[in-house]
């Protein structure tokens, strides 16, 4: 069941005032994390209809009981016996005051969009402004607590893993061992597929674990996370198996330097692009700018990639309450790569780093 501390009525009220401002009579919310954020419903099948004064959660028989337990009194659970679109048609049919409805264009298939148009002919469908995403980017204290729990679980699992890493294990073994330990430490599920790479394969920014066996002198790159009550963590650590080679130390130190520069650029009201630029300028000065090809970070919360996004061309501005990753990396084809990823809360006075395990290069 959802924690009662969550501000569902407040979130719904803020969505309603945005609807009003945009001349919309209602919102149809279908993206699962948004449905959960607004109502507490965690099931896989449901749509939320937010009208001027009512909120309906349309769901099917499988979730009838769960839905009524999870949503608060402000939300009416509607059992969609004939399927969601037909039920929506029936419900909206009698509502002459509902003319313009916002929907999440990014999360609705072309087929569903067509069906909505055919079934609800009197409704004008418009893009829903990204109100819910904007609200979600600024975490409430109870959300931050759950992200911190997810961070702790992931860090504990990683520490547990370090003692079992041996030469001869494969990358797949490594990923499976880490997934197992994440579960043992209390993760509700993996927010994304664990990345475990070794040797020259660490130069693949998003490679998949292979059957390659670990050997002395390898760098190991592990990118992993936990979920707690719906909220994610996302951490990357790069360690050396045996004594690190000088070039491995140098690259690791440069990536750490880029990360410190990015962390220093984090402050409320500062452009998100500044954080990316800070990391990039550090690596450019070290002659490694062209080996850092991805953005420096992203928001985490109910989804592992959400706002604000920290990239070069980002137009977003940081705000107190954002929780973001800071993950510069350097990738040298044929040799190997280093990425270090921390989870960070944006506080009034700057970055508050949630990960505590420290990012100095560890030699196993
Ligand atoms: Zn990651
Ligand atoms: Zn990440």
């Amino acid at each position: 069941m959802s924690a009662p501390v969550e501000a569902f009525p407040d979130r719904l009220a803020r969505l309603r005032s945005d609807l009003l401002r945009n001349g919309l009579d209602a919102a149809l919310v279908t993206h699962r994390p948004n449905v959960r954020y607004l109502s507490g419903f965690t099931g896989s099948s449901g749509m939320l209809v937010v009208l001027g004064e009512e909120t309906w959660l349309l769901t099917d028989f499988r979730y009838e009981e769960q839905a009524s337990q999870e949503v608060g009194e402000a939300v009416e659970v509607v059992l969609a016996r004939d399927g969601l679109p037909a039920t929506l048609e029936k419900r909206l049919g009698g509502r002459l005051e509902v003319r313009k409805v916002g929907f999440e264009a990014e999360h609705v298939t072309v087929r569903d969009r067509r069906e909505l148009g055919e079934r609800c002919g009197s409704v004008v469908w418009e893009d829903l402004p990204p109100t819910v995403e904007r609200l979600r980017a600024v975490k409430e204290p109870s959300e931050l607590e759950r992200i911190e729990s997810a961070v702790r679980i992931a860090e504990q699992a990683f520490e547990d893993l370090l003692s079992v890493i041996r030469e001869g294990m494969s990358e797949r073994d490594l990923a499976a061992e880490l997934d197992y330990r994440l579960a043992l430490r209390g993760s509700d599920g993996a927010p994304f597929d664990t990345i475990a790479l070794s040797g020259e394969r660490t130069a693949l920014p998003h490679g998949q674990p292979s059957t390659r066996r670990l050997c002395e002198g390898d760098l190991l790159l592990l990118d992993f996370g936990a979920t707690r009550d719906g909220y994610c963590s996302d951490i990357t650590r790069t360690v050396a198996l045996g004594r690190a080679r000088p070039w491995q130390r140098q690259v690791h130190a440069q990536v750490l330097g880029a990360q410190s520069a990015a962390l220093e650029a984090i402050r409320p009201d500062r452009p998100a692009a500044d954080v990316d630029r800070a990391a990039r300028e550090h690596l450019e000065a070290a002659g490694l700018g062209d080996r850092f090809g991805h953005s420096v970070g992203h928001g985490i919360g109910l989804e592992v990639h959400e706002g604000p996004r920290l990239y070069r061309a980002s137009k977003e501005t940081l705000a107190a309450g954002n929780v973001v990753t800071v993950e510069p990396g350097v990738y040298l084809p044929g040799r190997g790569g280093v990425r270090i990823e921390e989870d960070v809360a944006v506080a009034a006075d700057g970055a508050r780093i949630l990960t505590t395990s420290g990012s100095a290069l560890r030699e196993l």
Side-chain angles (χ1 to χ4, degrees), residues 151 155 158-159 162 195 197 220-224 235-239 252 256 259 326 338-343 353-362:
V151 167
E155 291 198 304
F158 178 69
E159 291 300 323
L162 290 180
I195 297 175
L197 303 169
L220 309 180
L221 187 152
L222 292 141
D223 190 346
F224 54 96
I235 301 173
T236 306
R237 292 285 175 257
T238 307
V239 300
H252 194 275
L256 257 191
Q259 191 180 54
V326 177
V338 173
R339 180 166 67 253
I340 309 168
E341 178 176 26
E342 312 294 347
D343 296 344
I353 305 170
L354 305 179
T355 30
T356 56
S357 58
S359 15
L361 180 58
R362 293 168 80 154

Side-chain angles (χ1 to χ4, degrees), residues 38-291:
L38 291 170
S39 71
F41 178 63
T42 64
S44 64
S45 166
M47 49 168 80
L48 201 67
V49 185
V50 182
L51 300 125
E53 280 169 6
E54 296 159 64
T55 310
W56 310 330
L57 174 72
L58 277 55
T59 187
D60 64 46
F61 175 75
R62 293 169 299 164
Y63 291 116
E64 188 181 17
E65 181 68 18
Q66 180 185 328
S68 46
Q69 284 175 8
E70 287 178 334
V71 305
E73 276 172 19
V75 179
E76 180 190 353
V77 176
V78 178
L79 197 58
R81 292 189 193 284
D82 312 316
L84 296 176
T87 306
L88 183 68
E89 176 184 15
K90 221 176 281 171
R91 278 260 164 169
L92 280 183
R95 299 292 184 126
L96 295 176
E97 78 277 18
V98 180
R99 297 197 51 252
K100 281 190 187 172
V101 180
F103 75 106
E104 299 169 299
E106 277 182 54
H107 303 290
V108 172
T109 64
V110 171
R111 194 182 61 185
D112 289 348
R113 170 70 186 84
R114 190 167 51 226
E115 186 168 2
L116 285 175
E118 285 165 4
R119 286 187 178 272
C120 308
S122 62
V123 166
V124 178
W125 295 96
E126 293 195 358
D127 282 5
L128 191 63
T131 308
V132 185
E133 281 79 4
R134 271 205 297 269
L135 291 176
R136 279 176 46 200
V138 177
K139 269 66 185 179
E140 296 158 9
S142 69
E143 295 182 282
L144 183 57
E145 268 171 38
R146 281 179 281 178
I147 294 173
E148 291 188 89
S149 297
V151 167
R152 267 194 304 279
I153 291 168
E155 291 198 304
Q156 288 166 342
F158 178 69
E159 291 300 323
D160 295 345
L161 175 78
L162 290 180
S163 61
V164 302
I165 297 179
R166 299 272 178 276
E167 262 192 281
M169 283 174 83
S170 72
E171 294 172 358
R172 286 191 194 175
D173 295 341
L174 202 55
E177 291 280 2
L178 183 49
D179 288 345
Y180 171 60
R181 281 163 178 77
L182 284 161
L184 283 184
R185 285 292 186 174
S187 173
D188 298 333
F192 55 91
D193 289 343
T194 296
I195 297 175
L197 303 169
S198 65
E200 69 287 349
R201 300 192 78 250
T202 52
L204 305 168
H206 260 201
Q208 285 188 341
S210 74
T211 54
R212 183 189 184 280
R213 301 205 170 271
L214 317 186
C215 48
E216 161 88 30
D218 277 351
L219 285 177
L220 309 180
L221 187 152
L222 292 141
D223 190 346
F224 54 96
T227 308
R228 194 52 181 263
D229 294 331
Y231 287 79
C232 308
S233 58
D234 178 12
I235 301 173
T236 306
R237 292 285 175 257
T238 307
V239 300
L241 191 56
R243 257 196 102 60
R245 310 288 188 256
W247 73 266
Q248 295 171 336
R249 276 177 197 291
Q250 281 160 14
V251 172
H252 194 275
Q254 292 298 351
V255 174
L256 257 191
Q259 191 180 54
S260 304
L263 289 169
E264 264 169 44
I266 289 181
R267 216 168 308 129
D269 300 323
R270 192 130 183 221
D274 283 5
V275 184
D276 186 274
R277 186 178 318 114
R280 214 163 288 285
E281 282 176 356
H282 179 92
L283 292 173
E284 277 162 9
L288 293 167
D290 61 335
R291 305 312 329 150

